[in-house]
Structure formats: structure tokens, C-alpha cells
Amino acid sequence: MEVGIVGSTGYGGVELYRLLSNHPNVNVCILYSSSLEGSSYAEQYPHLSGLSQERVKPIMIEEMQQLDFVFLAVPSGVSKELAHKLIGKKAKAIDLSGDLRLKDPGEYEEWYKGESAPQDVLEKAVYGLTEINRRAIREADLIANPGCFPTATLLGLAPLYQQDLIEPQSLIVDAKTGLSGAGRKATQSSHFAETQENLRIYKVHQHQHTPEIEQQLKEWSSEAGPITFTTHLIPMTRGIMVTMYADLKDTCTTEQLHTRYQSFYEKHPFVRIRPVGQFPSTKEVFGTNFCDLSIKADPRTNRVTIVSVIDNLVKGAAGQAVQNMNVMLGLDEMTGLHHYPIYP
């Protein structure tokens, strides 16, 4: 296949390049950028010296339309201008931004502070949470790849919501992320002196991934409503840990919940359920497409705690996009993604 990466000079773009360059079904990987066209990719990313001979092209719509797949690894606000130009053409598209995830244009405009994509494009886009939406993904031509926080959160909550085990109004989601989630462009909040040896809460009650999580929870449960979702920046490069708390509807033991999670995800190779009493850490999924989950009931309060960890650049972005491409092609979803974690 011939694939294109738009936004190839960002962290998500270069991670896509790493994965697609080692994918057995990808022959050609074309790199596009709106700001660094003409530059050598290895000059932008010296770790690719001697490995990449590609030069970055300007965005060329007609050329992109004739590729097999196009990955839109661009900031929110850009994809909505590109996605509709690919619909109906040869190329299938996977959008890694937030432009196509929210089905209600009003919600997008409220949370992203910009004009929504056209309604017909939103209706065409399939939400790409692979483990939950595989059937629709298989038939899709346009995928809205989930956000990093929603991926970790929704995979952690799916069994509880779909099996009606918790009181939805009691849910609290506490999320922590490494710095690469903020992108490559330097800002004061990502400055070394501002982040090293520091823990910072941000976007309190304002994070744009909130409505994305709520939208999916409402599909699973008519009782689902607004959630409490808080995010924190921690001084590491990669990784997300989401810790979720909720009231159980009925008394359940940790062992019973663990069995339900194992059964729910038994056919999903990228979700690993940890043994009872063992909790995952971000380093244990570093560089991989795995989501590791652990769950524990508290008989004293009749509450449940769920811990979910992912690599935000892989399962939270590029890896899940490649996983979705595999499903769309009818390939084994692990194709090109069977990597062991980098440890320590």
C-alpha cells in the first residue's frame, strides 16, 4: 500500500512513521506538512539519520486522494478542512485530531472554541475505539481516532457500563499524562524548568476530551450523565494513567469483577487484565499499543477502583490508528504492532 501522513513533523506523525515503516503491508509512506515542506525528515528527527531518506512534501490534496490510506495527525481545527476532500475518493482516512469525534456540532464549538466540521462529514466518521466498535470500523472509509484520555478511560469503564454494574452519577475520573501529549511546540507549560519536579493540574472542568467520554458512556447507559474528569501533567515523556472511582450497584468482590473483565476482553489482544492485586504502571506499556487494566472492589465503601495505563503516543494515537487500519483491511489487528514494551 501507499499511505500518507499529514502532520508528519509532530510527535504523533513521527510515531506513525515508526509504526508504518515496519508494517509488512505498507510499501510507500509519504510525508506531508503545512509548515516544513521541502525539509529532510532526518534533519527534523536526527534519530532517523541513515534510516529515512524522505523529504517532507507540502499538502497535495489530489495526490493524497489517490493513496490507499491517509492519516491526519494534525491539530484540531485542521482536519475538518481536509477530511471532506478525501470522502468518496480512493483513499481511506483516519483522523487523529478531535475534529470528527463529537457528533453534536454545538458540543464541538463549546469545547474546542471553533466551528465544527460539516454535519455530513461527522455522520460519515466512525468512532475508532477498536475494541468496542470493530464491526463499524471494518466497513468504514473515515475514522475518528479516539483521544488519548478517552481511550484509557473508556477501555477501563466499558465492562462496568455495558453490564450495568455501577452508579454512573458517582463516577470520578482522575487522569495523569506525560509531556508528549502537549505536542512538539514549546510552551511555558511544557518548559523543563516549569515541569521538572512538578505536578500540575490543568483544564479543570474544561478539558476537551470530557464530552468525548460522556458521548460514549451515554451510548452504553441511559443513566450516564456529566462526569467529573480531571487531568494532571507529570514530568515524564510518555504515558497516561487514569484512575477511576465509582459506586457499585450491588455487592461484588474483586475476584468477581476481575472475572468479568477477563471475559469481556478475552478476544482483544491489546487489552491486558492484570492479576488480582497487581496494578499497572506506565513504564510497563511504554512504546506499545497495550492498555493494561486492574480493578479492585472496596467492601468497606462498596466502591470500585479501576486503573488504566497506555502509551499516549501509541495506543492513545498512532498505534490505535494503525490498529484501525488493520481492521479496515481485514488484517490481523496486531499486524505491525506486536512490540514488546521498552523497559526499564
Side-chain angles (χ1 to χ4, degrees):
M1 295 186 302
E2 294 185 339
V3 303
I5 303 172
V6 184
S8 58
T9 55
Y11 287 147
V14 75
E15 191 71 346
L16 274 167
Y17 181 79
R18 178 177 75 91
L19 298 174
L20 293 169
S21 294
N22 290 287
H23 195 288
N25 294 75
V26 174
N27 295 20
V28 176
C29 190
I30 303 174
L31 308 176
Y32 301 97
S33 171
S34 61
S35 58
L36 295 169
E37 63 269 20
S39 63
S40 162
Y41 205 43
E43 288 176 1
Q44 296 298 323
Y45 285 106
H47 71 286
L48 296 174
S49 295
L51 302 174
S52 170
Q53 286 73 49
E54 283 83 8
R55 302 193 76 84
V56 180
K57 289 187 172 185
I59 294 175
M60 305 166 69
I61 297 297
E62 291 186 2
E63 179 179 280
M64 289 160 48
Q65 291 171 340
Q66 299 307 310
L67 301 177
D68 295 292
F69 270 87
V70 175
F71 295 87
L72 303 174
V74 294
S76 295
V78 178
S79 290
K80 63 188 179 186
E81 304 295 334
L82 298 176
H84 74 280
K85 297 177 181 178
L86 299 173
I87 293 175
K89 305 301 181 180
K90 177 185 176 183
K92 297 186 177 185
I94 299 179
D95 177 31
L96 281 74
S97 81
D99 279 5
L100 308 182
R101 298 172 191 158
L102 300 179
K103 297 304 182 183
D104 182 347
E107 280 206 320
Y108 179 90
E109 290 164 7
E110 176 184 352
W111 290 87
Y112 284 85
K113 311 303 179 187
E115 186 178 351
S116 170
Q119 187 66 54
D120 61 329
V121 178
L122 297 177
E123 292 173 359
K124 183 77 172 177
V126 171
Y127 190 60
L129 189 63
T130 322
E131 284 75 15
I132 307 302
N133 215 15
R134 182 180 283 105
R135 183 175 299 176
I137 292 167
R138 187 178 295 122
E139 304 300 323
D141 293 324
L142 177 63
I143 296 293
N145 217 55
C148 50
F149 284 128
T151 295
T153 302
L154 293 169
L155 290 176
L157 293 173
L160 299 177
Y161 270 78
Q162 292 198 16
Q163 297 175 22
D164 195 28
L165 297 174
I166 62 170
E167 300 286 356
Q169 299 299 328
S170 69
L171 177 66
I172 295 174
V173 180
D174 180 89
K176 299 174 177 67
T177 183
L179 284 162
S180 59
R184 197 181 189 195
K185 186 177 180 180
T187 65
Q188 181 177 338
S189 62
S190 62
H191 193 290
F192 179 85
E194 299 278 346
T195 57
Q196 179 65 6
E197 300 184 275
N198 195 14
L199 177 61
R200 174 182 294 155
I201 191 170
Y202 70 102
K203 293 187 178 179
V204 180
H205 306 320
Q206 295 179 318
H207 200 287
Q208 68 273 17
H209 286 173
T210 304
E212 181 182 340
I213 297 170
E214 292 176 347
Q215 175 178 264
Q216 185 61 62
L217 295 181
K218 288 173 185 175
E219 287 195 19
W220 292 337
S221 172
S222 60
E223 299 178 35
I227 63 171
T228 298
F229 174 64
T230 56
T231 54
H232 306 77
L233 193 64
I234 56 179
M236 66 182 192
T237 302
R238 290 177 182 242
I240 281 177
M241 175 178 284
V242 178
T243 308
M244 295 152 275
Y245 311 90
D247 293 335
L248 290 163
K249 286 190 171 181
D250 300 302
T251 301
C252 284
T253 67
T254 297
E255 288 74 17
Q256 288 171 328
L257 292 170
H258 184 266
T259 298
R260 286 176 180 265
Y261 269 68
Q262 284 187 314
S263 176
F264 190 91
Y265 284 117
E266 64 181 349
K267 296 181 179 179
H268 302 286
F270 286 119
V271 179
R272 304 189 298 186
I273 309 302
R274 291 302 186 87
V276 171
Q278 184 185 106
F279 294 90
S281 65
T282 57
K283 182 68 86 171
E284 292 157 2
V285 295
F286 194 96
T288 76
N289 201 50
F290 290 116
C291 174
D292 283 11
L293 299 174
S294 185
I295 185 166
K296 187 170 184 178
D298 183 356
R300 189 175 64 87
T301 62
N302 201 39
R303 291 179 65 79
V304 62
T305 300
I306 312 100
V307 180
S308 175
V309 298
I310 63 170
D311 183 317
N312 57 292
L313 290 178
V314 190
K315 185 59 172 170
Q320 188 161 216
V322 174
Q323 184 182 2
N324 283 328
M325 181 187 76
N326 289 338
V327 172
M328 294 164 80
L329 290 168
L331 301 173
D332 183 324
E333 66 190 86
M334 297 190 79
T335 304
L337 293 170
H338 201 290
H339 308 299
Y340 287 5
I342 299 169
Y343 197 90

